[in-house]
Amino acid sequence: MNLSSCDLNAVPTATALDPPWLRPRSAYVHIPFCAHKCGYCDFASLAGADHLSERYLDALEREMRMTLVEPRPVDTIFIGGGTPTRLDAPALGRLAAMVRHWLPLNPGGEWTIEANPGTLDAEKADVMAEAGVNRVSLGAQSFQPRLLAALERNHAPEEVGKAVEIVRSRFPRWSLDLIFGVPGSTLDDWRADLEATLDLAPSHLSCYGLVYEKGTNLWKQREKGDVQEVCEETERQMYEHVMDRLEASGLMLYEISNYARPGHESRHNLVYWANDAYYGLGLGAAQYLDGLRTVNTREMSAYLKRIEAGGSAIGPNERLEPEERAHETAMLMLRRTVVGLDRDDFRTRTGFDLDVLIGPVITRFVGDGLLEDDGRRIRLTREGRFLADRVLCEVV
């Protein structure tokens, strides 16, 4: 469903009486600049565009003013990219001031910024900490030089530890990202990556199986036969090993790809997995408000020109019908491996009875050993985690 820009430009007014899944309590802000576009990356990111950073921040501030209209208090903020820490310290300070004004963080809230090793220094970290950022997500991906090269990452393994030392002393919470299933990798490589990671004592880890996103350099290399995917059995062994090794270290799987010590789960991502409302600002940013899902244009020139002309940067948009939203909510909630899909919570949020909506699907996958059902919650079994895509595709 397409709506005119005048319908999309400002967010609907939410009240304190609205339930949390309708009242936006989270915000995503996108910074697209990178030193290099990694081969697997499908995000709205740009290399060689640093000269546009001030103009981009001007446009971002204007989008905040037009979209939010007034400051909107939130519980979680996530500044992602791209590489937000590609900005220099003064620009980061300006960004933080904008976010703090338009999206004031509620007491006890979580404010995360993504950072890449090699782009983070003490000055930038101090700027962020002083502004109120209290969580950093570091993109390590691997500790093996040849695997970093395969991913076209431009940091060295030792830079991860240096970044962790900068972060550890300034931020109460931090996380590392890792990727398994990199072309040319073995189970021993993955074991070594996990041990190197655990030596740094993170309280949160995101461990993703590599996805060949269409149009990326890595996807093109695979299509030409220049790289080969890790075989399915090896990738299964990698996933099995990470679940077991991290559990033994006190990092519990709470979402298909995310592990944390108790109390260190990503509160921002939990909003997505509950299908709650959130703001999205910046190039390519997604937003979900009042049942309307929108995505800003991914073209930098279009984003700048449209915002500077006083218009909306929104491109694709879709109004979800109640039943569509209910299916999507069930799919996202099933990603949560501990909380799972609670029948009463689901009915309260969507107005639908879960067993009426997808009862036969639940029964079949319970019979297949991919879901477990205790009468209150439905969750993926251990085997179901390996085949999660199959289950989730049928739920939605």
Side-chain angles (χ1 to χ4, degrees):
M1 176 177 179
N2 292 319
L3 303 177
S4 66
S5 60
C6 62
D7 293 318
L8 297 169
N9 204 40
V11 300
T13 301
T15 72
L17 297 178
D18 289 331
W21 51 93
L22 295 179
R23 183 177 72 253
R25 56 192 177 93
S26 295
Y28 175 82
V29 179
H30 192 74
I31 303 298
F33 304 104
C34 282
H36 170 76
K37 181 84 169 179
C38 298
Y40 61 92
C41 179
D42 188 42
F43 295 114
S45 58
L46 299 166
D50 293 355
H51 62 287
L52 293 174
S53 61
E54 286 300 317
R55 185 179 172 193
Y56 180 79
L57 291 179
D58 288 342
L60 181 61
E61 186 166 23
R62 186 165 187 172
E63 184 190 8
M64 289 179 178
R65 183 167 56 250
M66 290 189 301
T67 303
L68 301 174
V69 181
E70 60 186 21
R72 307 275 182 157
V74 292
D75 294 332
T76 74
I77 301 166
F78 196 104
I79 301 178
T83 309
T85 48
R86 179 69 180 171
L87 296 175
D88 61 25
L92 274 174
R94 180 186 173 194
L95 170 65
M98 289 161 42
V99 171
R100 193 167 50 196
H101 173 76
W102 289 105
L103 298 161
L105 193 65
N106 287 325
E110 175 190 273
W111 183 352
T112 303
I113 189 165
E114 285 185 332
N116 278 348
T119 67
L120 184 64
D121 58 32
E123 183 183 11
K124 293 179 183 180
D126 286 339
V127 166
M128 295 186 296
E130 290 167 6
V133 174
N134 53 24
R135 185 175 182 273
V136 173
S137 178
L138 282 169
Q141 316 311 357
S142 178
F143 290 82
Q144 315 297 318
R146 78 178 197 287
L147 301 185
L148 290 172
L151 293 169
E152 297 183 40
R153 299 288 292 179
N154 62 349
H155 70 264
E158 59 270 18
E159 290 181 289
V160 178
K162 294 176 182 177
V164 167
E165 288 308 308
I166 291 172
V167 167
R168 197 197 308 271
S169 61
R170 292 171 174 83
F171 302 95
R173 304 175 72 205
W174 56 277
S175 175
L176 285 175
D177 287 358
L178 295 176
I179 294 177
F180 63 89
V182 179
S185 64
T186 65
L187 181 57
D188 284 341
D189 289 326
W190 181 233
R191 287 176 175 144
D193 273 346
L194 285 181
E195 295 310 313
T197 300
L198 291 173
D199 285 345
L200 298 173
S203 58
H204 187 284
L205 273 177
S206 297
C207 299
Y208 303 107
L210 179 66
V211 176
Y212 291 79
E213 298 286 0
K214 188 173 182 179
T216 62
N217 282 344
L218 199 57
W219 177 84
K220 293 173 185 175
Q221 291 169 14
R222 186 191 63 176
E223 293 298 295
K224 291 189 297 183
D226 293 339
V227 301
Q228 290 187 338
E229 294 184 60
V230 169
C231 74
E232 189 173 311
E233 179 57 30
T234 298
E235 191 160 0
R236 179 189 172 98
Q237 291 172 354
M238 290 175 171
Y239 187 37
E240 187 167 35
H241 178 69
V242 69
M243 284 192 291
D244 293 341
R245 181 67 183 93
L246 295 186
E247 181 176 354
S249 299
L251 289 153
M252 306 304 294
L253 182 72
Y254 71 100
E255 190 271 344
I256 291 173
S257 301
N258 286 270
Y259 306 76
R261 300 192 189 283
H264 288 263
E265 298 84 358
S266 169
R267 291 176 55 195
H268 183 84
N269 286 341
L270 286 170
V271 170
Y272 296 149
W273 300 323
N275 210 20
D276 288 347
Y278 55 88
Y279 302 114
L281 299 147
L283 186 73
Q287 179 169 270
Y288 186 42
L289 297 175
D290 196 30
L292 179 66
R293 191 176 304 286
T294 63
V295 181
N296 280 353
T297 177
R298 293 167 59 97
E299 283 192 40
M300 176 66 93
S301 60
Y303 175 82
L304 294 174
K305 289 176 182 177
R306 287 162 64 174
I307 294 294
E308 289 167 352
S312 169
I314 288 173
N317 57 86
E318 178 185 22
R319 173 77 67 181
L320 297 181
E321 296 300 326
E323 187 168 337
E324 290 178 298
R325 183 180 180 277
H327 277 281
E328 184 181 77
T329 299
M331 181 270 293
L332 290 168
M333 286 181 166
L334 265 179
R335 294 184 63 93
R336 306 178 303 183
T337 55
V338 177
V339 177
L341 180 49
D342 183 287
R343 283 179 165 85
D344 291 341
D345 182 42
F346 182 81
R347 185 184 297 107
T348 300
R349 287 170 176 270
T350 68
F352 286 84
D353 183 290
L354 185 64
D355 295 292
V356 173
L357 188 72
I358 57 169
V361 175
I362 294 171
T363 300
R364 176 157 53 85
F365 282 127
V366 168
D368 291 343
L370 303 183
L371 290 177
E372 60 183 19
D373 183 357
D374 64 7
R376 176 187 173 188
R377 300 178 190 273
I378 297 96
R379 286 178 286 215
L380 291 166
T381 62
R382 181 181 174 90
E383 182 62 25
R385 297 170 193 170
F386 294 105
L387 300 171
D389 286 348
R390 174 183 162 193
V391 175
L392 299 180
C393 282
E394 293 210 30
V395 168
V396 76

